[in-house]
Amino acid sequence: MSGFPGRPDNRTGDPRRSYQVRPDELEGAVRETLSRQVVLARPLGADPAGQAIRRANRIRRRRTAAGLALATVTTVLLSVGMAQLGAGPGQDGTPIVVIGDPGPSSRPGPTASVRGSTPSPGTSAALITSETLVSADGRRLVLPDVGPAERAQVLPGGGGWLVVSTPTTAGRSLWVVQNDGLVQVLLAGAGPIVLADDSRQVAWRDGGDLLMAGVVGTQLIGVVRTPAPADAAPVRFVGDSVLVRLDPADGGHTLWRPAAGQLPEAVDQKTLNVYGGLPDGRLVGQISTIDPGGTCLAVLDPTRHLDPVRTGCGPDLSQDGVGGVSADGRWLLVNGWVGKVSRSLLVDLQGLGPDTAAVSAGPPMTGAIVWSDESKASYLDDTGKLVRVDVGEVRAGKPASPAPVPGVPAGERPVLVTQF
């Protein structure tokens, strides 16, 4: 490496390049810089048009997403007319189908009539069925496009009825019939179906499971499912619990509390039938005794696995399970025998004990028993005639007699409901 005299490092001396600029070169550089600034498009500090366009794009994207979601829900629930409820992997049996009505615009709407019904325009008369409802006071109402039905209950607020079909090879159905005549199917292909007294809940059997749901308008909500023994079936609601009979050929019930999970292991072994509840929440039912074929009436405690707290073993009771308790808990109508004659029996539950007695109230009962007040009840006999029971008259030795329901066609059986 070579160095330069007089310098301790390797830096050179004076610079070789000249920094002198001619005036014409300086002028050209300034002009070029200015021209570039004019050509370059700088963004504005505030761009109202751009902001509006971007805002519109965001709104359009949100609306598109919401529309797609709504369209998906509508397609699943309504457009095809049905959706499978509670389907899950590994479940056996025919799936329960919840049917959604596309709306009244897709088909003619039937109208409930007290004189009869005619097919809706454009509907085949061969496909039309109807069901006659009769109130406790004998009034008649015909519901077209419904039936054959086994029982019916008034919807909350009186907006229509919940109607349960008779059993068929395809299972049972549950309809909602509104006051304007619109009919909608909530369940099809179900096993046994039971309704809460206020029509706000429904329980049913589906394959190997029991299910419960709330009824809101024309929809089932909050469906809960639990595995159940092969022959178990819902019997009635006890508050928010479901009374389940474990074997129709034998005694034994349990209470399923959906909020608590599966069916409890502790079960009752004596109860054959449950007829209704008392104001304090206890139940009135029929229990087996140690005598072969012997049965007694009993007050059951649902908080203690249906243990009997009071019994009465006088009346000769049928085991068909048909019976009803008055709202005040005083009277029970139940099927039984007077000698060898099948009759409905009136039992004073206040006298339930060793000397329990029953008096003949009328012909045997079928279907629902409707207590219109604390001393009057109505039911249908096996021919479909209406029987009105007055407690005072029955206790005075005057059993009720059946009377035909006016206007019911021959061979058609009406369904008794609480009111219209």
Side-chain angles (χ1 to χ4, degrees), residues 31-42:
R31 286 182 177 179
E32 182 179 358
T33 300
L34 294 175
S35 63
R36 287 180 179 178
Q37 290 178 353
V38 172
V39 173
L40 182 62
R42 295 181 180 273

Side-chain angles (χ1 to χ4, degrees), residues 311-335:
T311 59
C313 302
D316 189 3
L317 305 175
S318 167
Q319 295 190 28
D320 60 7
V322 180
V325 181
S326 61
D328 61 356
R330 172 73 185 274
W331 305 103
L332 168 68
L333 277 174
V334 62
N335 279 343

